[in-house]
Amino acid sequence: MPPGTLPVTPRTPSPPPLDPSQYDPARSGYHPLRDACWGPGQSVPYLAVARTFERIEEASARLKIIETLSNFLRSVLALSPGELLPCLRLCLNRPGAASEGLELGIGESLLTRALAGSWRRSAARRRTRGTWGWWPRAAAAPSAPWWRPPASAPRASWASCGRWPPCRATPRPARRSASSRGSSSPAGTRRRATSSGRSAGSCASGWPSSRCSPPWHTPSRSPPPGQGWPPAVLDAGQGMAPEARRAWLEEQSRILKQTFCELPDYAAIVPVLLEHGLEQLPQHCGITPGVPLKPMLAQPARGVGELLKRFEEAAFTCEYKYDGERAQIHVLENGAVFIYSRNQENTTAKYPDLVDRIPKVLKPGVRSCILDAEAVAWDRTTRQIQPFQVLMTRKRKDVDAAAIKVQVCLYAFDLLYLNGEPLVRQPLAARRKLLRQSFEEVEGEFVFATAADTRSAEEVSDFLDKAIKASCEGLMVKTLEVDATYEIAKRSHKWLKLKKDYLDGLGDTLDLVVIGAYLGKGKRAGIYGGFLLACYDEESEEYQSICKIGTGFTEESLEKHYGFLKEHVLAQPRPYYRWDSGAAPDRWLAAVQVWEVKCGDLSISPVYRAAVGLVDEEKGISLRFPRFLRVREDKKPEEATSSTQVAELYKKQQQIQNQQQAEKGEDEEFY
Ligand code: ATP
């Protein structure tokens, strides 16, 4: 295939497009031209997007979901490639890249009124019909008793939402809501929602709302990058033998995944894909200052013995594990500085002091770079690190540098990019050398993470004690030379975290999602007195119940949680919640917040569903004596502790208990 051409089905004279109401991207033997409901060069009807989501909602098998989405995307590529990006944005339920921080600003009540406006029916009446979870299917089913087509349902098309600039893919009304963030009046937002709602014609489910999160779409239900595309793009693989085709598709997926890891922005990838084809992506797309990367994370280690065993002969370094907020700092060729959180959220406005400071600590010759660091609250008088909670009292947006009360010191620990060159494939020893050569330390402002390169168990233990005395959480232990590349977006064994708590046998904390609440009694009457927590199962994309929690809260914090969570009450649990009636809460809540929780230990439970099938076929795992520590504002629900991690924690705990029992047995024998 010559470079620059897209491997899509050649354009043969196509039959007239299907009636959009008949569009079915899930049909077997789908043909991207014959089965599409629009013609070559025409805009993708919004109804086709909505129908695709409906088919996805109906499917439970992951492969079927991928195939359905692939079929739709094949048609987009074959007929309207210029609209691929808007379609991907819709599939991801996001109006822009994560770092753009755009939100549609449309909530459930606003959407209700907007839809009522566009269909000329009362919001109250619709509400009585059920939740949004039930809405899409019913809305699309003409047989629903209350369903009546709008008086003049226009043929839905994105084009009818207005033209949008290249690389800015969401229909204009949606983006306008997205970028106006708080400043626009709800009525204005509603008007725009109404106008787009109308253009969705008879399929109301197509409206992308980032807040109401209908069941056909949590952000994580959209296929991860690289899974929905290849069959779409690689139509040419159809003639291959199944084995060869599978291998070929895997390779294409790998290329796309790798590209998306390094450049997680479809607005940048799609034009290259369309112009040069998928194989050429690595030549044109790579790590780019200004586009945040998903960070590398660490695996927990239970003790010094475990980490020495894991790293065997490989050289490693121990660094202090600072308790602050991850800061990925990008310096662009034009001198601009951007700061991104662990979630790729743009936090530049939170740290105007760091933005001023960075150019001053750059050594001559550094034109552009991406730095991995931890921003930690710092007391200038005592010249000491302050707890994480102090950092959290800093304003999040529009911080005025002159009015800053909580000072921050930046602890730099990695360099991912320097002067046009990505460094992620170099070993840590080389990256660290470049880091130290490229920046100047300034006490209390910019410092390299304190590190000790040692192989002695005693020295590691001593260093851990020093880290704790210096108000750090523990150590990060990292391979230096062998197997020491930077793994974007991975929780890797090349980095191990060793916390004091693990050594005390208290275990790590878990980050869990609140999915339900129990009504309070006595002193807690009128608010929630307890909560149902869940971990996230990446395989099934479900939230699995893990424990009920009622301790660790002050009365004030309970009031606050109530105020926030009552806005997220659901009429019924989401279909992707896994729970047992033995622990059903009084109120179901949308999965919107992650809490850090400490527990006594983990036990097998017939009532909770966490990690079911991983340790026991039928039973799940639950936490004993869970205690609330804090809200993890920096984690999304899908970034909560996974069920695999829960199973690993349980197994490790068992190993330790067995070991302790064996030692006790030996002692008893001795006496
Ligand atoms: P935790 O609750 O422990 O922060 P986590 O899931 O957020 O867990 P981990 O993989 O456990 O992340 O630990 C990595 C985090 O530790 C990083 O995201 C970073 O914010 C912080 N950190 C502090 N010091 C270092 C260091 N020297 N090297 C790497 N990360 C560090």
Side-chain angles (χ1 to χ4, degrees), residues 296-299 319-326 342 373-374 413 449 473 476 478 491 495 497 499 502 508-509 511 596 630 632 634-635:
M296 178 167 177
L297 296 169
Q299 293 281 359
E319 292 173 358
Y320 282 6
K321 185 176 192 307
Y322 298 94
D323 196 8
E325 189 174 33
R326 192 138 183 186
R342 186 186 191 284
E374 188 86 347
F413 52 79
E473 273 189 297
M476 294 289 286
K478 305 173 178 178
R491 191 174 285 281
W495 283 15
K497 52 179 172 175
K499 294 192 196 173
Y502 305 167
D508 196 6
T509 56
D511 298 319
E596 185 172 356
R630 63 185 179 190
R632 288 292 306 247
D634 58 332
K635 279 197 171 178

